[in-house]
Amino acid sequence: MTDIQLEQLLHTLRQYLLAFHTPKTADGYLFDLNHFLRTNPNAEQYKYQDIVRYLSSIKRNYTREDGRVSNSVNRKLASLKRYYDYLYETGVRTDHPCKGIVIKGTRAKGVNFNVLFTPEELHSLLDARENRYTHLELRNKAILSLLIYQAPASDELCRMKVAHINFDNGTVYFPAGRKTASRRLPLTPMQATLLYRYIHEERPHLLQLLQSDTLFITIRGQVETPDGVHGMIEPLKVLFPDKVLSPQEIRKSVIANWLNVYKHPLDEVQLMAGHKYPSTTVKYKRTDDDQAKEIIDRFHPLGD
């Protein structure tokens, strides 16, 4: 590949990355890919063993004295995954050589699975919420449904625009935030109906004098806030007196259920959750699960 061809490829990759990430994250990935592609001219044809060999070589440079591996290695791995995502999605390749690789030794805070909510407990929230105000029933159910099916953070909910709901395709779009990557996820038919009715029946009453394309509006005609989302959840806490019910705990529970109940692949859950690094996602995998053990053992060449 000539320098001109490489520059053209990097430009195309940047446009691809910007569809999923903030410019800062996209440029960080591109920095890693620039080095990778210049030092590995045959990368387009690399197989699993080639990726392992490359990651093993850079891992040595990022391993601390205590044996922990810097999260910089995970960022480099995430960059490689995005490169091979691009090759796969554009038809250049029919396989993905590093789709399931997770690097052992990176630091991640644990998750207390005992305090999380099962899918059944989460679904029960939809029918338990009583609304004190007119014109809030559809809105609140729509917010709850997004929390328990797509797991956005509360600040992501508050940044949503009406245009982020695509009824033709049945999808919802969450823009990139300071801590999360952008993603587009499918809506259930129930959600599509709720959101359509909210937008066309309730939202016009809530807008009052406010001119805004923000999706969720308060009873006072203002843009919803993260504190408001927390307040909406507050009355439901009586249903689970032994647990902490909050938008954050709902998000954690949904991500854990994606991995441990519905058995979605780790890299798929990373995209669904908007995690920028796989090390953030892997902590939601139960360590007593046989498949979680496989995450560590399967790619032993990268282990300690």
Side-chain angles (χ1 to χ4, degrees), residues 71-113:
N71 278 328
S72 297
V73 183
N74 264 326
R75 190 196 69 190
K76 295 179 185 298
L77 173 57
S79 302
L80 297 188
K81 288 187 176 184
R82 276 306 192 195
Y83 170 62
Y84 290 104
D85 283 343
Y86 166 77
L87 294 182
Y88 179 80
E89 291 176 16
T90 55
V92 175
R93 292 186 63 135
T94 58
D95 65 331
H96 194 304
C98 58
K99 192 174 183 67
I101 293 181
V102 175
I103 295 179
K104 181 181 177 182
T106 48
R107 185 183 300 274
K109 294 180 181 179
V111 171
N112 184 356
F113 295 99

Side-chain angles (χ1 to χ4, degrees), residues 170-278:
T171 59
V172 56
Y173 175 74
F174 297 104
R178 185 172 62 87
K179 294 183 177 180
T180 54
S182 64
R183 64 252 191 226
R184 191 179 302 278
L185 300 174
L187 291 167
T188 69
M190 176 274 292
Q191 287 182 289
T193 300
L194 270 178
L195 286 161
Y196 185 87
R197 290 188 59 199
Y198 162 67
I199 290 171
H200 294 283
E201 296 176 20
E202 283 188 350
R203 188 172 178 276
H205 293 283
L206 296 172
L207 279 171
Q208 300 177 23
L209 300 178
L210 180 68
Q211 297 296 318
S212 175
D213 60 350
T214 301
L215 179 59
F216 292 116
I217 307 299
T218 72
I219 190 64
R220 295 181 176 83
Q222 300 171 337
V223 172
E224 187 58 276
T225 65
D227 285 344
V229 176
H230 280 256
M232 192 197 81
I233 299 295
E234 188 74 25
L236 299 173
K237 292 183 176 181
V238 296
L239 298 174
F240 305 102
D242 298 328
K243 296 184 179 181
V244 176
L245 182 64
S246 68
Q248 183 181 23
E249 293 304 309
I250 292 175
R251 172 171 162 81
K252 289 180 181 179
S253 299
V254 175
I255 296 170
N257 290 335
W258 282 339
L259 282 169
N260 303 302
V261 178
Y262 300 113
K263 307 298 182 183
H264 291 303
L266 180 70
D267 57 316
E268 182 180 309
V269 174
Q270 180 190 348
L271 295 178
M272 292 165 67
H275 292 156
K276 295 183 177 180
Y277 305 107

Side-chain angles (χ1 to χ4, degrees), residues 120-150:
E120 292 75 22
E121 289 173 328
L122 292 174
H123 293 162
S124 71
L125 298 175
L126 282 174
D127 298 321
R129 182 69 165 85
E130 294 184 3
N131 300 294
R132 293 181 297 164
Y133 303 104
T134 307
H135 306 312
L136 286 186
E137 181 177 358
L138 296 173
R139 187 202 81 136
N140 288 351
K141 281 196 172 183
I143 289 175
L144 275 171
S145 77
L146 289 169
L147 287 171
I148 68 174
Y149 287 114
Q150 286 81 23

Side-chain angles (χ1 to χ4, degrees), residues 16 40 56 64 66 113 151 181 184 196 221 247 265 270 298 304:
Y16 173 78
N40 297 268
S56 296
R64 306 185 181 101
D66 62 359
F113 295 99
R184 191 179 302 278
Y196 185 87
Q270 180 190 348
R298 182 181 174 191
D304 293 335

